[in-house]
Amino acid sequence: MAASLKIDPKIDPERLAPAFQAKGRLHIPDFFKGNGAKHVADALAGDVPWVRTMVVQGKGVEAPLAAWAMPSPQRMQVEAHVIQTARSGFQYSYDAWRISDAIQAGRRVGGKLEPIEAVYDFVNGEEFLGFVRKLTADERPTNSDAHASRYGAGHFLNTHHDGNADSGRLYAYVLNLTPQWQTDWGGVLLFQDDARNVTEGFPPRFNALNIFRVPQHHSVSQVATFVNAYRYSITGWVRRTVTAKPKR
């Protein structure tokens, strides 16, 4: 059954707009009305085609979890590379499912994954895009992408800014879908200034929307090694329509 995803009507984007404009980011609790967030969270905790994603030799790579779980010299070498590069540069390690890529390639699965796929439809629908336009006082948003993420013990996302003008990125969003989480477990969305001082942090509160203007330096703090739970979210960028440049 698809999730019924409706923004709580008590949330007024125009009233929240000054707070967003002040910092270029906002944490909005209790975003969905009813049980929509629970349906998506239940689906994320089920049988999702996760892959392990990371940076290897400067490029994002993905490995099927079944293969990644098998001990091998190659896996140990990659894990060592991830740890080494994370110490001084951009790196990440977590589980992902690229919802947008699958749907746009005609691979809707439906069934138990239908509530997750419904999020892609929601973030590309007028209810969400209209909400973002009013919140940001920006008429450019026309579409969004979406991918699911699962952070377990040791997973992290190092500091980056999401800047890519050619892709039409305007804003990043995070729909938090972890029913139970403690702040000292890690997995906190952190924002930094140009000197890399942490200026604000958003814990992954259930059914909260985090949205922020890009480019903007941010990271996800490493999930503590003692944690035996997963941090679930669906994230992506709200974009403007990009007109292809003529070939010369």
Side-chain angles (χ1 to χ4, degrees), residues 211-234:
I211 184 166
F212 54 97
R213 185 184 299 117
V214 294
Q216 187 169 173
H217 288 109
H218 61 283
S219 62
V220 176
S221 64
Q222 187 176 44
V223 176
T225 55
F226 59 77
V227 174
N228 62 352
Y230 286 112
R231 171 197 184 273
Y232 294 103
S233 65
I234 295 181

Side-chain angles (χ1 to χ4, degrees), residues 21-78:
Q21 293 299 326
K23 293 184 177 180
R25 56 182 177 265
L26 199 62
H27 171 86
I28 305 175
D30 302 321
F31 186 65
F32 288 122
K33 180 182 179 181
N35 292 324
K38 182 181 184 304
H39 291 321
V40 181
D42 289 346
L44 287 169
D47 189 15
V48 175
W50 300 110
V51 297
R52 180 63 49 82
T53 183
M54 67 209 83
V55 178
V56 177
Q57 296 181 345
K59 295 182 179 180
V61 300
E62 298 178 346
L65 286 189
W68 186 254
M70 297 293 292
S72 69
Q74 183 180 14
R75 173 187 163 179
M76 294 177 63
Q77 184 179 13
V78 172

Side-chain angles (χ1 to χ4, degrees), residues 177-217:
L177 295 159
T178 309
Q180 301 291 333
W181 195 260
Q182 298 182 28
T183 302
D184 54 7
W185 290 359
V188 178
L189 175 62
L190 300 174
F191 295 92
Q192 298 107 47
D193 60 20
D194 290 340
R196 298 299 188 271
N197 297 308
V198 174
T199 55
E200 195 165 17
F202 295 158
R205 303 300 186 202
F206 180 67
N207 194 22
L209 170 70
N210 299 330
I211 184 166
F212 54 97
R213 185 184 299 117
V214 294
Q216 187 169 173
H217 288 109

